[in-house]
Amino acid sequence: MSSTDGIADFDSLRRAMADNGEEPEGPARNARAEQLLAEAEKLNIPLAVIEALGHQLKVYNYSSEKDKMFVPFARLLRMWDERPADFDEYETHSLHWVFKWMSSGMLDQPHIPLASIEKWLGEMEHRYRLAGHSERAVRSAEFSVAAHVGDVARAERAYGAWLAADRDSMADCHACELHGQGWWQAERGRDAEGLRLWGPVLEGEFTCAHEPHTVLASSLAPLLRLGRLDEARANHLRGFRLVRAMESMRGAYADHVEFCALTGNEARGLELLAERPAYFTDDGHPRSRLEFMSVVALLMDRLTGLGLGEQQVPGPAGRTWTARELAVHARKDALALAARFDQRNGTGHISERARARMEQRPLVERLPLGVRTPARPTAMTLPAPAAASVPEDSDGQPDLATLLAEAGRLSDTLQPNAIEAWAAVSRAAEGVELAARDRAEIADHRAMDLGPEGIALFEEAAGLYAEAGDPGEALAARARGAYVRALAGEVPQALTAVAGLYDRILALYAEDGTEVRQTAAVLMSRARILMRRVHEAQDTVQGAVLADAEIAAREVLALVDGRAGDDVRLTSRAAEAQAMLAELAALTGDVAGAAELFARASEAFVGAGLPWFAVEYEARLAGLAHHLGDTAEAERALRAALEHGGPHLEATGRAQLNLQLAEVLGGRGLSEEAAEHALEAAHWADEAGESRTLGAWARQQLGGFLLRQGRWAEAAEVLESALPDLSAETHGDGAVVQTQWWLGDCLSELGEHRAAAERRLQAAEIARHWPEQHDHATLAHLAAESLGHAGLHAEADQAYARAGALWRSLGNVHGLVRSLRARAWLALRVETPEGTAGEDVAGGDDTASELMASAVSECVAALDAADDEEARQRLTAELGHTHRQFSDLLARSATEDAEDESIRTALEEALSQVTRAAAVFASLGDDALHSRTGAELAAGWLEADLSRPARAAARARAVLTAYEGCDEGDEEAQERRAEAQQMLGVMEEHDTE
């Protein structure tokens, strides 16, 4: 609407201001308020100008242009002083209310002298006293001034006086007051007390336009300092969702950027900066700009410290910025702003606070959030931990003898970092002539590290072992090379190579020319190659291939049996052979046998002090247990796998195990712990570079677990983060639909009904193509509910009609009836000719009644056809509820402006329907007692409206009789009894009049 469209009178001005108040915060809304003031002045109505000035004040206050508030307020105050009679009661209250905005607004503008602010404080106190208001708001304003300039003694006195004064209509709302009180406690180092004060706001007991938004933001740093990380994460996800679209909340937004910088979430911090480019330059509120630029400097310093100083980052428009450049700019800007405040205040307090904020160190190395953040550039990976210190000789060179001994110990005991230890030996031995055995170990471990590219090195190692007088280890090295060839896909060649090695090692062992360890190594390499053939074999040769592999594994077990002693290498051979037999059992369908063998293999590795080798087998065991329906064993195995892997687990494996455990726990209803593991899974998937695949799965599951706990805002953030990465091709369209469905549920609970409808309709469109249509029908029905709550009544009716047709095709009478009832109610809320939605109009009465009558008919028809007693019971209850709703709808249609006879007719029809409802519920016996008595009471009130007090009283007494001797703990029964007593009392008064 333009500045001249429709502003012909006071009512249209008020509608226009109301509409503008619903627009997003920002300059466009402010500009519209300025236009509306100009239009108000043309009406020549003083109150119209007063209201337009008040509207202008409000939109300025809730925007980045807070500095514009002072002019309209000065004009309002002048009008009040000249003609207070022009102000109605509401505007009189509003004028005094915004005194507080002026006080805080002056503090936020460093060009306003402190003396002027103190003078204003006195003016506020004087005017509040004249108006008969409490000192509470005045003392709160004084506290803000004292705290701002750093006068702790005065702030404490004012704080005490603020809390001691009576609350009245000028006091800030409970939520805002608690925010200020908690902020002061945290500012004074009393974080736990601050959080205690904020509790009622965080829990939703007290809310307002800016709360819990600011409390959630303010709580982040205190929670981190107290180590309450789960709460900090939750408050970040909840709080950022609230402030994201609110331009006026730059200070709270800065708290969320700071949280990212302090928790290792630098990438998300950059994402937040990119969403609000105007925050770098908006100068209408210098105080929040100071807060924002301080945390920008903090984040940029953090990036620079991670070696990312040259990375391009979001910054003020007009040029590109590196992290290092923006750090310098933001620090300079913040300190310049702080200096302006300090010059005005005559203290150094603001600069001290700004410096302290910019110089903070991370409180957590990395706090997983569950949401997807931009992929980290390579340089953004945190620096690798420093290598362990290497012993040095007297010349400052690495002590080679010590390195050799350590590498030998690590390899003999199969430690995970043995390969790195031998690499360190190789580096330290450059230019040094080593013994053939040591050179063989270096080559052997280098070959293991290289995989297929190291096959030639295995041959080199074999030659060196032979030169060192160990022919058995030479054969073992060649066998390892053959296995690597099999891993590279050359299974036939590997089998040919290992066959000769196998014969030679057995002959050598028989002649006592080598030991069990070397012999077992060759036999194990052969068994591994045969297992590779099992996986690659065609079904036509599967039987023979399986048999060969089983014989090879049992041969390893027979060789090692009773000979392992303390040799962990031999123990590991036996354990691995058990695992091979387990895998072969699983392939042949012996699931229980496979599970038992995997359990033995895992126990053997753990018993040998090699738990990291047990991870794979515990994971396999978990899958088999799940297949057998043994969820307890699946859970135990997955927990064991995570514990056994410890720090040696790769990121992908850690993500997979956590995700599997989350699914098992979720299946047992343990949503809280399941969410913790899904969060871990998402974090490790991101670390592994699998955000779009495994990470999306984890986030989808995490969102579902959060939703089950009623943590709607957190769940919505996580699900919205997962959705762009979920695809039908990778994850299946079922996962996409489920995510949209869950997200719609979250948005509905959060009151974002239009967005909820969009998600549900998107999910329904995918489900429309599925062979089974129940999900399609359910989603269409849910979308209709959301559209109705969003005020889109025509669209809601179409969606309910679509759902009804689907329910009919599925033979689901309950869904069909409920869709018809919903459409009936919508018919009473059709749009008026002027386009104003949400008003009951007579034109919808006939349609509404017809739809509700159709719902009754569908119930009756289904009851006639039902031959199952349980189905009949459910349909009977549905019929009762439909009669009851029909009654309510008819009573509602009896509008006050209708003719008296019309009203009486509608009430009589309503009474008829609710009487039928009571009779239907009565046929269900005690199971429907509360429904029956509820219908009886509704009928009683209708009797009263029809001037039949005796009948109304009779129905009330019937309800009291129905509950004689009822359980005192039955709250619904007690409520029914109380309502019946109330009805009797009203009827008795009617009789005495």
Side-chain angles (χ1 to χ4, degrees):
M1 186 184 291
S2 73
S3 61
T4 56
D5 289 344
I7 311 299
D9 53 35
F10 202 170
D11 287 341
S12 58
L13 174 69
R14 283 174 164 164
R15 283 197 299 271
M17 289 190 294
D19 290 343
N20 193 45
E22 297 298 317
E23 293 298 312
E25 294 177 353
R29 187 170 74 158
N30 295 352
R32 176 62 174 153
E34 292 161 6
Q35 293 173 350
L36 291 174
L37 175 59
E39 292 297 317
E41 289 168 339
K42 297 175 184 177
L43 297 177
N44 199 28
I45 301 173
L47 185 58
V49 175
I50 291 167
E51 290 189 11
L53 284 166
H55 174 65
Q56 195 178 78
L57 258 174
K58 183 175 181 179
V59 299
Y60 284 157
N61 184 58
Y62 294 110
S63 79
S64 62
E65 298 179 311
K66 292 177 185 284
D67 56 330
K68 292 185 174 181
M69 290 192 300
F70 304 109
V71 172
F73 181 74
R75 183 176 174 188
L76 269 175
L77 195 58
R78 186 171 63 252
M79 293 175 73
W80 168 261
D81 288 339
E82 292 173 355
R83 293 175 59 88
D86 289 341
F87 288 70
D88 62 14
E89 183 179 355
Y90 178 82
E91 293 303 327
T92 299
H93 178 274
S94 296
L95 175 72
H96 287 81
W97 182 267
V98 295
F99 263 87
K100 299 180 296 183
W101 293 358
M102 295 304 106
S103 177
S104 62
M106 289 178 178
L107 277 180
D108 297 337
Q109 303 293 332
H111 68 277
I112 298 179
L114 189 61
S116 298
I117 297 173
E118 294 285 5
K119 181 180 178 182
W120 178 258
L121 200 59
E123 178 75 7
M124 178 180 175
E125 182 173 9
H126 171 68
R127 287 181 179 266
Y128 271 39
R129 189 181 300 115
L130 286 177
H133 296 306
S134 161
E135 281 195 346
R136 192 175 182 94
V138 177
R139 298 285 78 83
S140 173
E142 181 188 4
F143 160 76
S144 297
V145 173
H148 174 70
V149 302
D151 187 343
V152 175
R154 183 186 179 194
E156 290 285 14
R157 288 195 303 273
Y159 183 90
W162 166 23
L163 269 61
D166 292 336
R167 278 189 57 83
D168 67 351
S169 62
M170 282 298 112
D172 283 342
C173 74
H174 282 290
C176 289
E177 283 208 330
L178 287 173
H179 175 246
Q181 292 162 21
W183 172 85
W184 181 242
Q185 299 302 324
E187 182 76 5
R188 300 297 298 150
R190 299 184 286 266
D191 288 334
E193 176 61 12
L195 288 161
R196 186 192 69 78
L197 286 166
W198 287 330
V201 184
L202 293 172
E203 292 161 12
E205 183 179 347
F206 301 122
T207 61
C208 69
H210 276 191
E211 294 298 353
H213 314 45
T214 55
V215 163
L216 285 164
S218 296
S219 73
L220 297 174
L223 285 169
L224 290 175
R225 289 193 291 265
L226 292 172
R228 292 160 61 174
L229 304 184
D230 290 341
E231 294 172 71
R233 175 196 300 112
N235 287 3
H236 169 62
L237 295 178
R238 288 175 58 200
F240 183 67
R241 184 174 189 84
L242 292 173
V243 304
R244 175 185 276 137
M246 299 181 71
E247 187 210 36
S248 64
M249 304 205 71
R250 179 164 54 182
Y253 202 98
D255 290 338
H256 288 281
V257 176
E258 177 185 54
F259 168 84
C260 293
L262 296 178
T263 58
N265 286 288
E266 299 85 7
R268 180 166 172 83
L270 292 176
E271 187 179 53
L272 267 56
L273 296 186
E275 286 191 28
R276 279 291 183 183
Y279 276 174
F280 288 100
T281 52
D282 281 347
D283 58 6
H285 192 241
R287 192 171 180 179
S288 68
R289 180 173 172 183
L290 164 59
E291 294 166 353
F292 184 75
M293 296 308 284
S294 295
V295 300
V296 170
L298 171 68
L299 178 60
M300 294 306 120
D301 283 346
R302 173 68 177 150
L303 291 172
T304 303
L306 291 171
L308 292 161
E310 302 311 311
Q311 178 181 326
Q312 187 171 325
V313 295
R319 56 161 288 186
T320 58
W321 295 88
T322 66
R324 191 184 317 289
E325 291 168 340
L326 186 55
V328 173
H329 170 80
R331 180 175 292 272
K332 180 180 178 182
D333 196 18
L335 290 176
L337 283 165
R340 289 176 57 199
F341 280 105
D342 284 341
Q343 183 178 13
R344 187 269 303 275
N345 298 340
T347 68
H349 180 63
I350 300 298
S351 294
E352 290 170 9
R353 292 186 77 251
R355 286 193 179 90
R357 193 169 198 183
M358 290 186 284
E359 291 165 6
Q360 292 178 97
R361 304 302 303 162
L363 296 171
V364 185
E365 183 178 336
R366 185 79 189 277
L367 178 63
L369 302 178
V371 293
R372 170 81 184 279
T373 54
R376 282 188 165 194
T378 303
M380 196 163 182
T381 303
L382 295 181
S389 59
V390 177
E392 298 178 348
D393 58 22
S394 57
D395 297 326
Q397 299 300 314
D399 184 349
L400 188 54
T402 304
L403 288 175
L404 276 166
E406 178 65 6
R409 183 189 69 81
L410 294 174
S411 56
D412 280 346
T413 55
L414 297 176
Q415 298 300 304
N417 47 348
I419 287 175
E420 290 80 359
W422 281 106
V425 170
S426 177
R427 290 191 297 271
E430 290 181 9
V432 178
E433 185 63 33
L434 291 177
R437 176 75 191 200
D438 295 333
R439 286 184 284 134
E441 293 276 15
I442 291 172
D444 203 359
H445 285 86
R446 174 68 172 152
M448 295 178 202
D449 190 30
L450 290 174
E453 297 176 6
I455 292 175
L457 276 174
F458 281 117
E459 283 297 320
E460 180 183 330
L464 289 166
Y465 282 128
E467 181 183 336
D470 192 344
E473 199 62 57
L475 292 172
R478 289 193 171 96
R480 285 190 284 274
Y483 174 55
V484 171
R485 292 187 71 179
L487 291 177
E490 300 178 15
V491 175
Q493 297 89 328
L495 280 171
T496 300
V498 84
L501 299 170
Y502 170 75
D503 293 338
R504 290 166 63 187
I505 198 70
L506 289 179
L508 193 63
Y509 180 63
E511 299 167 357
D512 292 330
T514 191
E515 298 176 0
V516 175
R517 178 190 281 198
Q518 289 79 7
T519 307
V522 175
L523 266 59
M524 180 52 73
S525 290
R526 177 172 176 268
R528 288 171 175 170
I529 294 169
L530 287 168
M531 288 298 295
R532 290 297 300 174
R533 188 173 68 163
V534 166
H535 292 296
E536 295 185 5
Q538 299 297 317
D539 292 340
T540 54
V541 293
Q542 191 75 17
V545 170
L546 287 168
D548 288 345
E550 182 178 351
I551 291 169
R554 292 193 182 280
E555 192 172 5
V556 173
L557 284 170
L559 174 68
V560 174
D561 186 34
R563 298 180 178 86
D566 294 331
D567 190 334
V568 296
R569 281 182 177 270
L570 291 179
T571 303
S572 75
R573 300 300 184 206
E576 187 176 351
Q578 293 275 16
M580 287 177 174
L581 293 175
E583 191 166 351
L584 292 169
L587 288 170
T588 58
D590 182 7
V591 179
E596 182 180 348
L597 288 165
F598 274 129
R600 285 187 203 168
S602 176
E603 289 168 9
F605 276 123
V606 174
L610 305 170
W612 46 88
F613 286 117
V615 172
E616 177 185 352
Y617 307 127
E618 291 285 7
R620 293 292 302 275
L621 182 54
L624 294 172
H626 186 74
H627 180 78
L628 292 168
D630 189 347
T631 55
E633 175 60 12
E635 179 185 339
R636 183 213 62 76
L638 289 166
R639 291 188 189 279
L642 283 165
E643 180 184 350
H644 295 333
H648 307 298
L649 264 179
E650 292 185 352
T652 299
R654 195 179 297 274
Q656 291 170 337
L657 290 171
N658 272 293
L659 184 54
Q660 291 171 38
L661 182 53
E663 290 169 349
V664 170
L665 293 168
R668 291 183 53 206
L670 304 173
S671 299
E672 202 165 319
E673 190 180 358
E676 293 173 7
H677 286 284
L679 177 66
E680 285 291 305
H683 167 69
W684 288 109
D686 290 345
E687 290 292 302
E690 297 189 29
S691 293
R692 295 185 180 279
T693 50
L694 186 58
W697 270 120
R699 271 181 271 281
Q700 194 248 15
Q701 290 294 302
L702 173 59
F705 295 135
L706 291 170
L707 178 144
R708 291 188 203 177
Q709 297 172 58
R711 295 160 67 176
W712 315 114
E714 295 168 69
E717 282 291 300
V718 171
L719 292 169
E720 286 173 345
S721 175
L723 203 51
D725 291 333
L726 290 169
S727 67
E729 296 75 22
T730 303
H731 305 92
D733 55 8
V736 178
V737 167
Q738 183 64 83
T739 307
Q740 297 273 27
W741 193 328
W742 281 339
L743 185 51
D745 291 348
C746 292
L747 295 170
S748 178
E749 293 289 343
L750 292 169
E752 301 176 34
H753 298 298
R754 187 184 291 263
E758 290 174 4
R759 295 301 185 184
R760 288 167 166 174
L761 288 170
Q762 288 166 1
E765 182 58 26
I766 299 173
R768 182 170 69 88
H769 303 286
W770 293 353
E772 210 289 318
Q773 289 288 286
H774 185 271
D775 285 343
H776 181 199
T778 304
L779 285 162
H781 201 115
L782 289 171
E785 288 181 6
S786 294
L787 289 165
H789 288 309
L792 302 171
H793 301 129
E795 292 86 346
D797 184 70
Q798 292 172 7
Y800 275 125
R802 172 184 175 184
L806 288 165
W807 291 129
R808 187 184 295 280
S809 71
L810 290 167
N812 189 318
V813 179
H814 298 279
L816 171 60
V817 167
R818 289 168 190 177
S819 66
L820 287 167
R821 293 199 308 239
R823 291 184 66 198
W825 284 109
L826 281 171
L828 287 182
R829 298 183 62 81
V830 295
E831 291 190 342
T832 65
E834 292 78 13
T836 303
E839 297 180 6
D840 293 350
V841 293
D845 292 0
D846 292 343
T847 302
S849 294
E850 289 169 7
L851 286 164
M852 200 66 83
S854 296
V856 170
S857 298
E858 294 290 349
C859 280
V860 171
L863 263 172
D864 291 342
D867 53 9
D868 174 76
E869 184 56 30
E870 183 180 348
R872 287 187 60 80
Q873 292 284 313
R874 290 184 62 225
L875 285 167
T876 300
E878 197 75 76
L879 177 60
H881 290 301
T882 305
H883 280 305
R884 174 66 195 273
Q885 285 201 33
F886 201 170
S887 170
D888 292 344
L889 181 140
L890 290 166
R892 178 84 174 273
S893 70
T895 54
E896 293 182 4
D897 57 351
E899 296 292 334
D900 287 349
E901 189 58 37
S902 171
I903 293 174
R904 188 170 187 84
T905 299
L907 293 178
E908 291 282 10
E909 291 175 355
L911 179 60
S912 173
Q913 289 293 335
V914 78
T915 301
R916 293 179 196 175
V920 171
F921 288 134
S923 72
L924 294 172
D926 290 343
D927 289 342
L929 175 61
H930 295 325
S931 296
R932 176 171 70 84
T933 55
E936 287 284 3
L937 289 168
W941 292 118
L942 287 169
E943 299 276 21
D945 289 340
L946 288 165
S947 302
R948 300 166 186 165
R951 293 187 184 182
R955 291 185 184 273
R957 283 190 287 272
V959 170
L960 291 172
T961 301
Y963 286 117
E964 285 180 355
C966 69
D967 183 358
E968 292 296 323
D970 187 336
E971 292 185 8
E972 194 162 0
Q974 298 307 319
E975 289 174 4
R976 293 280 193 273
R977 286 176 57 85
E979 186 177 351
Q981 294 283 10
Q982 179 192 7
M983 185 179 293
L984 280 175
V986 171
M987 295 308 104
E988 288 172 2
E989 288 180 10
H990 184 275
D991 287 341
T992 60
E993 289 177 358

